Amino acid sequence: MNGYLTTSEPWKLHETARDRAGTILNVALRCVDDLKVMLTPFLPFSSQKLHEYLGYDGVIAPQPEFRTRREPDGSTHDVLTGDYGVAPAWAPTALPAGRKLREPHPLFKKLDPSVVDQEVERMEERGAK
């Protein structure tokens, strides 16, 4: 999509071909809208934020949550789960042309490289055990 926007340059067409610029931006936003739906199972919280930035109300799908489960032997463990049988169902959306978007904010926090190094070190230590 970055390639599409880079070659189409809608920011240059704004003055001379406003309709074309609008079409390019609409196509790009429709791609973001579709990717949001496809990534919901893997990035549920970020996809939900993006859903709201694109002007939607409600949820794409119920958000996952940690629950403690008790086994028949009495042991317990935490699981990541949710109520996925309730509406609204995870489904494609149809971003209409002309929709007013909400003010966006960053979806992800940029990590300092030292945090990445610490995580890799921690994972290596766990793998050695």
Side-chain angles (χ1 to χ4, degrees):
M1 183 172 44
N2 282 346
Y4 172 67
L5 288 173
T6 300
T7 57
S8 301
E9 299 181 323
W11 49 89
K12 289 184 179 178
L13 298 173
H14 180 68
E15 295 296 324
T16 59
R18 190 174 180 92
D19 287 345
R20 178 70 185 134
T23 298
I24 293 166
L25 292 174
N26 182 265
V27 168
L29 286 170
R30 295 287 308 264
C31 289
V32 169
D33 193 37
D34 289 341
L35 286 169
K36 164 208 76 180
V37 174
M38 289 187 280
L39 293 173
T40 295
F42 310 102
L43 298 168
F45 302 110
S46 300
S47 295
Q48 179 61 40
K49 283 183 189 177
L50 187 54
H51 184 69
E52 294 164 11
Y53 296 159
L54 291 173
Y56 293 102
D57 292 319
V59 296
I60 300 170
Q63 298 295 293
E65 58 188 58
F66 282 103
R67 294 184 188 158
T68 301
R69 296 288 185 206
R70 182 171 301 281
E71 296 297 329
D73 67 0
S75 64
T76 60
H77 59 276
D78 291 331
V79 295
L80 182 61
T81 187
D83 293 324
Y84 301 111
V86 297
W90 173 65
T93 51
L95 184 67
R99 166 170 281 166
K100 184 165 176 62
L101 305 177
R102 295 183 181 137
E103 183 179 347
H105 300 280
L107 288 175
F108 304 102
K109 181 179 175 182
K110 184 175 181 178
L111 294 178
D112 185 270
S114 66
V115 173
V116 175
D117 294 340
Q118 290 169 0
E119 266 310 293
V120 169
E121 199 174 295
R122 186 182 66 80
M123 290 170 61
E124 287 172 348
E125 288 174 3
R126 288 188 79 174
K129 291 181 181 179

